[in-house]
Amino acid sequence: MSKLENIIESLYFSASRPISESEIVKILDDSNFDLKAVKNAVSVLEKKYQESSFELVKVASGHRFRIKQEYSQWISKLWSEKPQKYSRALLETLSLIAYKQPITRGEIEEVRGVSVSSQIIRTLLDRSWIKVVGHRDVPGRPALLATTKEFLDDLNISKLSELPELPELGSIPSEVQIPLLDEAQESA
Amino acid sequence: MSKLENIIESLYFSASRPISESEIVKILDDSNFDLKAVKNAVSVLEKKYQESSFELVKVASGHRFRIKQEYSQWISKLWSEKPQKYSRALLETLSLIAYKQPITRGEIEEVRGVSVSSQIIRTLLDRSWIKVVGHRDVPGRPALLATTKEFLDDLNISKLSELPELPELGSIPSEVQIPLLDEAQESA
Amino acid sequence: MDNSVELKPSQQEFNLAVLNGEEVSFPTDDLYIPPNALKIFLESFEGPLDLLLYFIRKQNLDILEINVLEITNQYVAYIDLMEKIQFDLAGEYLVMAAYLTEIKSRMMLPKESDSEDEEDDPRSELIRRLQEYERYKTVSKKIDSIPRVGRDFFVASSGLPEFESSQKLPEVDLNKLSQIFSELLQRQKLSASHIIEFEKLSTREKMSKILDLLIKEKNIEFHKLCEIKEGKIGIIVNFLALLELAKDSLIKIIQSKDFGIINLSSKDEVH
């Protein structure tokens, strides 16, 4: 049996969001730790990292680890170092939402032939480029996704119909099996 | 001035990807730390966290912190989504790409004796486990596929040669083969 | 799962599969065979080589000792069975059947000369392919068992301090986006028999707009959607969008009298 403090530490480090003490109790479920034990362990952890670059901080919805402020100068360099590039998968998802909105995740998956990761949807929602505009009336009531005004602003157009018209879809010889592969290496 | 080890620690914890030592040197830029000092500090960190739930590990594209595997049971309770399970077809395709790279889709199909679905290739591209590294100079110019650093990172290994050894092709002296022919005819 | 296959000891039979831990046998003659069981059986193989390997292992044989005659008989009997129940067999299985039959016939012919060349063994190519396939089949299982991120272990990360955001978010190019979309459509065209129908964007935009408005307002009168500056076209597009939404049963439309006010309400409200 691992030490309670270490289990809690591992939970905080693996979650990308704050976790509450009661949630931890729920995760520990069948072990013998109650809320009091968890609260104790958390307060031990709050004092533990004085020598480290990070600390356990209390925020509204629980606790989370955060890098201490004094390191921000280095971290800002890390983040500006490599401007990210959106993956092929994200761009395909975005283009489907733009041209076929409102559309559900399942419908996107149908066209793309692979599952769309939650990460991609979250990135697009975080960026405020897409939003949920309703739910389709089928089992599971999946969310209908559409693009936002911010998306248009960021692309410097004022309405969707200003998106480039699609080139004629000529007939493609059947030998061409994976036309997308050329592009794919960019996203790798 | 913060301690070098702590700066590096904060970088690893704040990046959502592995970072290489030379990248750290670049970030530290105008300070007086060279590659040797950084390498030293990293090896100090590699030994530092024995009592903790996490550790610094070397993967293909640098180092990163990971939670020790014994804590996975608690962490997986934190995630509502089940990790993806891959089909045999996908794994066989991936293995062929890993061991025979660069390889075309046609060459994969030749070994497996069945066609490889576009969906499998796309899933692997989406996951950034494979990429297109060129085209074979034959009719149709099929894409040459290879594995990526992310693939190694995700398996927590630092180079291809750390993959399991490919079982030897049973090397059989040719004499043994002829008598078998007769046997086969007898049993007909 | 129906694996209650009746066995008649008098008939020739061969064992095909282990399903849910139970061995399922399919008589080669005309007994009823649950098509489901066969289908599931076939789907548990990664193609003809995999199936052949199974037959070989079943006989406890080394690949090198395969008895082509017997294997071919088994394989062809199996293929026949699938055709009898009209199961759509992948072409590769038929190609393999033809290939095996060819080897079989070549082995039954008398040898032309006594050149004891290994190349003369019609089986050698098959053996080579089986061996090669088995290597990767084996190693792919090993690769799957290597602990991987997100399934067996997790990455440790921490929240960030506040810092001046010199971080530039990735940009998306307008033309790139449309290019990607048309490629998607082309891909769809290649892989599916139907083509996505391409609708006027302006209608799509209105559809999103209407849904979005309905989240806030629950009820809207149709004329309030229309803006004067959009003119007649605007009304038509709005109306088309409305019909599209109704067709997808995303909204409810109520018009209480002829030429009266058209009321739109969100479907969500009903629930």
Side-chain angles (χ1 to χ4, degrees):
Chain A
M1 179 69 210
S2 319
K3 267 173 59 191
L4 178 59
E5 277 117 55
N6 272 6
I7 297 175
I8 297 177
E9 187 185 68
S10 76
L11 288 173
Y12 284 132
F13 270 127
S14 62
S16 44
R17 57 181 173 86
I19 326 176
S20 70
E21 282 144 346
S22 58
E23 198 179 343
I24 293 176
V25 174
K26 230 187 276 164
I27 288 169
L28 296 174
D29 199 17
D30 34 352
S31 60
N32 296 319
F33 301 115
D34 58 4
L35 188 61
K36 203 179 153 220
V38 169
K39 275 182 193 266
N40 264 334
V42 169
S43 70
V44 169
L45 290 176
E46 277 180 315
K47 286 165 213 128
K48 190 179 164 187
Y49 306 103
Q50 274 158 14
E51 302 288 302
S52 306
S53 64
F54 54 88
E55 60 197 337
L56 190 65
V57 292
K58 193 169 167 50
V59 291
S61 46
H63 281 79
R64 71 178 307 167
F65 277 119
R66 200 173 56 195
I67 308 287
K68 291 176 184 165
Q69 194 57 43
E70 59 195 278
Y71 298 95
S72 60
Q73 50 168 321
W74 314 107
I75 287 160
S76 75
K77 276 197 185 169
L78 177 73
W79 282 89
S80 58
E81 193 81 353
K82 272 193 186 167
Q84 290 164 274
K85 235 185 135 194
Y86 284 136
S87 69
R88 174 83 196 185
L90 182 138
L91 292 174
E92 284 185 8
T93 305
L94 180 61
S95 77
L96 271 165
I97 298 174
Y99 282 93
K100 299 280 296 175
Q101 62 186 281
I103 188 172
T104 66
R105 189 156 146 181
E107 289 157 2
I108 298 170
E109 289 173 350
E110 214 170 282
V111 178
R112 293 197 56 238
V114 283
S115 65
V116 172
S117 76
S118 306
Q119 183 64 49
I120 286 178
I121 302 292
R122 222 172 300 135
T123 304
L124 290 170
L125 285 168
D126 278 358
R127 179 105 199 225
S128 296
W129 276 359
I130 65 168
K131 65 182 168 189
V132 175
V133 292
H135 295 268
R136 205 177 279 299
D137 208 5
V138 295
R141 300 188 38 75
L144 283 163
L145 304 168
T147 53
T148 60
K149 254 187 118 67
E150 283 91 335
F151 168 71
L152 299 179
D153 289 347
D154 285 357
L155 266 74
N156 227 19
I157 53 179
S158 57
K159 45 185 188 294
L160 266 186
S161 49
E162 284 172 30
L163 279 175
E165 251 182 81
L166 295 170
E168 261 325 296
L169 295 180
S171 57
I172 303 109
S174 56
E175 303 90 82
V176 189
Q177 298 238 341
I178 327 177
L180 288 174
L181 277 179
D182 287 329
E183 298 293 322
Q185 50 188 327
E186 284 171 33
S187 69
Chain B
M1 178 69 212
S2 319
K3 265 173 63 191
L4 178 59
E5 276 117 55
N6 272 8
I7 296 175
I8 296 178
E9 185 186 68
S10 75
L11 289 173
Y12 283 133
F13 269 126
S14 61
S16 45
R17 56 181 172 85
I19 327 177
S20 70
E21 283 145 345
S22 58
E23 202 179 336
I24 293 176
V25 174
K26 229 189 276 164
I27 288 168
L28 296 173
D29 199 17
D30 35 351
S31 61
N32 296 319
F33 301 115
D34 58 4
L35 187 61
K36 204 177 154 224
V38 169
K39 274 182 191 268
N40 264 336
V42 169
S43 70
V44 168
L45 291 176
E46 277 181 314
K47 286 166 212 124
K48 188 179 166 190
Y49 306 101
Q50 273 158 15
E51 301 288 303
S52 308
S53 64
F54 56 90
E55 62 197 334
L56 189 66
V57 292
K58 190 172 164 51
V59 291
S61 37
H63 281 78
R64 74 163 165 221
F65 279 118
R66 75 158 180 179
I67 313 281
K68 290 177 187 165
Q69 211 172 318
E70 59 198 279
Y71 298 97
S72 296
Q73 49 167 324
W74 314 106
I75 294 165
S76 50
K77 286 195 190 169
L78 201 60
W79 306 105
S80 49
E81 283 165 64
K82 279 236 170 341
Q84 204 164 3
K85 231 185 136 215
Y86 290 126
S87 67
R88 271 186 56 199
L90 183 138
L91 291 165
E92 287 179 11
T93 304
L94 177 63
S95 305
L96 274 157
I97 298 172
Y99 289 88
K100 288 178 74 101
Q101 59 186 290
I103 186 173
T104 66
R105 187 156 145 181
E107 288 156 4
I108 297 168
E109 291 174 346
E110 225 166 86
V111 176
R112 293 193 58 235
V114 280
S115 63
V116 173
S117 78
S118 302
Q119 193 175 323
I120 285 179
I121 301 291
R122 230 170 293 134
T123 302
L124 289 169
L125 286 168
D126 260 18
R127 175 106 204 220
S128 296
W129 276 0
I130 64 167
K131 64 181 169 190
V132 175
V133 291
H135 294 267
R136 203 174 285 301
D137 210 4
V138 294
R141 298 188 37 75
L144 284 164
L145 304 169
T147 53
T148 61
K149 274 191 170 181
E150 282 93 330
F151 166 63
L152 301 178
D153 288 346
D154 281 358
L155 298 188
N156 223 49
I157 57 182
S158 53
K159 46 187 188 292
L160 267 183
S161 54
E162 286 173 30
L163 283 176
E165 242 182 271
L166 190 64
E168 276 303 309
L169 244 183
S171 59
I172 295 93
S174 56
E175 309 86 85
V176 191
Q177 299 206 347
I178 308 303
L180 286 177
L181 189 72
D182 302 328
E183 262 173 56
Q185 278 170 337
E186 276 166 40
S187 67
Chain C
M1 176 72 251
D2 185 6
N3 40 15
S4 58
V5 182
E6 207 188 330
L7 296 181
K8 285 193 185 166
S10 59
Q11 273 172 321
Q12 189 204 351
E13 59 186 64
F14 59 96
N15 294 327
L16 277 175
V18 178
L19 286 176
N20 302 333
E22 244 179 280
E23 194 150 283
V24 187
S25 305
F26 300 115
T28 46
D29 280 335
D30 40 24
L31 269 186
Y32 172 72
I33 297 136
N36 261 350
L38 268 180
K39 193 164 173 269
I40 291 170
F41 171 70
L42 181 75
E43 279 163 2
S44 64
F45 291 100
E46 286 301 326
L49 288 171
D50 200 20
L51 182 61
L52 279 176
L53 277 179
Y54 169 80
F55 285 147
I56 293 164
R57 295 290 171 243
K58 199 87 194 106
Q59 298 174 33
N60 267 325
L61 288 179
D62 192 279
I63 294 177
L64 296 169
E65 300 167 26
I66 50 170
N67 181 329
V68 171
L69 301 183
E70 201 165 308
I71 291 282
T72 305
N73 289 342
Q74 280 195 356
Y75 188 90
V76 171
Y78 171 71
I79 298 290
D80 284 347
L81 210 57
M82 296 307 268
E83 288 199 317
K84 220 181 273 174
I85 62 165
Q86 294 176 336
F87 180 73
D88 232 351
L89 260 182
E92 291 99 351
Y93 284 91
L94 301 175
V95 171
M96 180 58 75
Y99 179 51
L100 286 173
T101 313
E102 190 212 329
I103 298 177
K104 179 175 147 186
S105 55
R106 275 171 61 195
M107 288 187 69
M108 297 208 300
L109 288 173
K111 281 178 137 193
E112 277 179 16
S113 68
D114 46 5
S115 72
E116 305 239 314
D117 196 346
E118 149 185 15
E119 291 298 304
D120 275 359
D121 188 340
R123 295 176 304 170
S124 58
E125 170 67 9
L126 177 66
I127 288 173
R128 190 196 60 75
R129 288 188 63 188
L130 284 168
Q131 281 181 319
E132 179 80 349
Y133 173 65
E134 198 177 39
R135 295 170 82 195
Y136 292 98
K137 185 184 163 178
T138 310
V139 88
S140 74
K141 283 182 196 148
K142 287 191 192 156
I143 285 189
D144 193 33
S145 67
I146 297 175
R148 66 170 176 253
V149 81
R151 185 189 66 178
D152 308 293
F153 66 88
F154 298 88
V155 170
S157 66
S158 136
L160 303 177
E162 280 171 36
F163 59 87
E164 272 174 44
S165 179
S166 50
Q167 178 195 4
K168 275 199 188 138
L169 289 165
E171 291 189 17
V172 168
D173 178 74
L174 206 55
N175 292 314
K176 172 106 184 172
L177 202 65
S178 73
Q179 184 204 335
I180 280 180
F181 183 67
S182 67
E183 280 167 4
L184 261 177
L185 291 188
Q186 289 184 344
R187 193 166 83 200
Q188 184 80 349
K189 210 172 166 186
L190 284 176
S191 62
S193 51
H194 68 280
I195 301 163
I196 316 173
E197 197 189 322
F198 189 61
E199 286 154 77
K200 274 268 190 233
L201 259 186
S202 43
T203 316
R204 292 267 149 202
E205 185 168 39
K206 289 290 184 216
M207 285 167 71
S208 292
K209 213 168 171 181
I210 295 172
L211 283 175
D212 197 34
L213 275 172
L214 281 173
I215 290 177
K216 290 166 209 146
E217 315 229 343
K218 297 293 173 207
N219 269 297
I220 314 173
E221 292 167 353
F222 176 69
H223 61 85
K224 290 194 175 149
L225 295 172
C226 307
E227 290 169 51
I228 294 173
K229 65 171 193 253
E230 290 175 339
K232 268 188 203 161
I233 297 284
I235 300 177
I236 294 168
V237 171
N238 267 314
F239 193 68
L240 285 175
L242 177 102
L243 293 178
E244 274 298 322
L245 289 168
K247 191 183 88 191
D248 284 358
S249 59
L250 292 168
I251 58 166
K252 276 189 358 184
I253 307 176
I254 299 164
Q255 187 180 27
S256 38
K257 60 172 194 258
D258 288 353
F259 306 108
I261 289 168
I262 301 172
N263 255 302
L264 319 180
S265 61
S266 81
K267 200 86 194 224
D268 286 355
E269 228 186 1
V270 184
H271 292 263

